[in-house]
Amino acid sequence: MSVDAALRCSACGAATETWFLVGCDDDLFSQAPVVYLERYTENRRDTAGSSGLGTEQIDDLLERAQIAFDDHLGAGAMIYLRKIFEMTTSQAAEAVGIATVRSNGRRKSFRSLLEEVDADSHIIPSEFSSNGYKLFSELSEVIHGDSNEAEALNKYLPCRKLVLGIVNNIRNNQEMAQAIASLGWNGPSPLVSTEGATS
């Protein structure tokens, strides 16, 4: 299990960000699991990430993913990629007025939300538009322990490229919508800005 925590020293009050990789000898969800600290990294960034959504948070998550990968923490890196995918999809839904919850107040399944958003705004690049949810499944399989760390590390770079493809596709859609609006043409509603995300 990957635990990302912002800690504060009780003596001096200094804050530090620490990432723990916790292992378990048995079932992590049992009543009294036996856990151990496998690895930790301190001060990966000067501060914990911003609480707001948008470009800064996407860049923050991308950086965290890369740091995890560089530290050979494949599952941790994939968690951040999945978070980016979920976050950008939710932002795109809100930007075009697609509800992220059902009529009973419960969140829509990610598959359902992704299909609605992509049908409306085409956030998945055409090169893998029929496999948008397959990317999410790939990221989730790693996170849920269906892959070992070596497999997760091998999958990280191609998954990162595909997630960045979605982020950049949304950014391009927004830039095109702004250009159309500036010319006074009727065009699609601009999606949430992810300008500044880099590979």
Side-chain angles (χ1 to χ4, degrees):
M1 177 173 61
S2 176
V3 180
D4 198 4
L7 305 177
R8 186 171 298 280
C9 175
S10 59
C12 69
T16 183
E17 188 169 304
T18 308
W19 189 1
F20 300 96
L21 183 64
V22 179
C24 183
D25 287 332
D26 49 11
D27 182 6
L28 182 62
F29 300 102
S30 65
Q31 190 169 11
V34 177
V35 298
Y36 56 90
L37 183 61
E38 189 165 301
R39 177 180 232 172
Y40 74 95
T41 304
E42 291 184 56
N43 299 321
R44 296 184 303 105
R45 291 181 55 87
D46 293 329
T47 60
S50 63
S51 58
L53 299 180
T55 299
E56 287 181 16
Q57 190 172 20
I58 290 169
D59 288 343
D60 179 61
L61 292 170
L62 284 168
E63 184 174 343
R64 289 169 187 256
Q66 189 61 44
I67 290 168
F69 176 72
D70 293 342
D71 281 345
H72 306 289
L73 301 173
M78 298 293 252
I79 286 170
Y80 289 118
L81 292 183
R82 190 175 89 160
K83 176 67 176 171
I84 294 165
F85 193 0
E86 291 173 326
M87 185 178 72
T88 54
T89 301
S90 294
Q91 288 176 333
E94 290 168 12
V96 295
I98 295 173
T100 58
V101 295
R102 295 178 292 196
S103 57
N104 63 5
R106 293 182 176 239
R107 279 191 324 174
K108 290 179 181 175
S109 71
F110 184 75
R111 178 191 285 270
S112 171
L113 183 63
L114 178 63
E115 286 172 355
E116 282 186 68
V117 172
D118 195 47
D120 182 90
S121 305
H122 309 291
I123 65 170
I124 306 296
S126 59
E127 292 83 356
F128 68 105
S129 60
S130 62
N131 292 317
Y133 189 75
K134 190 170 185 179
L135 171 60
F136 184 76
S137 297
E138 195 80 53
L139 296 168
S140 298
E141 282 175 17
V142 171
I143 292 166
H144 295 309
D146 295 333
S147 299
N148 60 39
E149 280 296 299
E151 291 172 320
L153 290 168
N154 285 336
K155 291 179 178 181
Y156 170 75
L157 290 176
C159 284
R160 179 184 170 97
K161 285 181 182 174
L162 295 179
V163 168
L164 278 170
I166 295 167
V167 169
N168 290 329
N169 199 38
I170 292 173
R171 182 199 66 207
N172 292 339
N173 287 348
Q174 194 233 6
E175 289 173 354
M176 290 229 235
Q178 287 174 342
I180 289 168
S182 70
L183 292 170
W185 302 352
N186 292 329
S189 300
L191 295 175
V192 65
S193 175
T194 56
E195 191 174 343
T198 54
S199 58

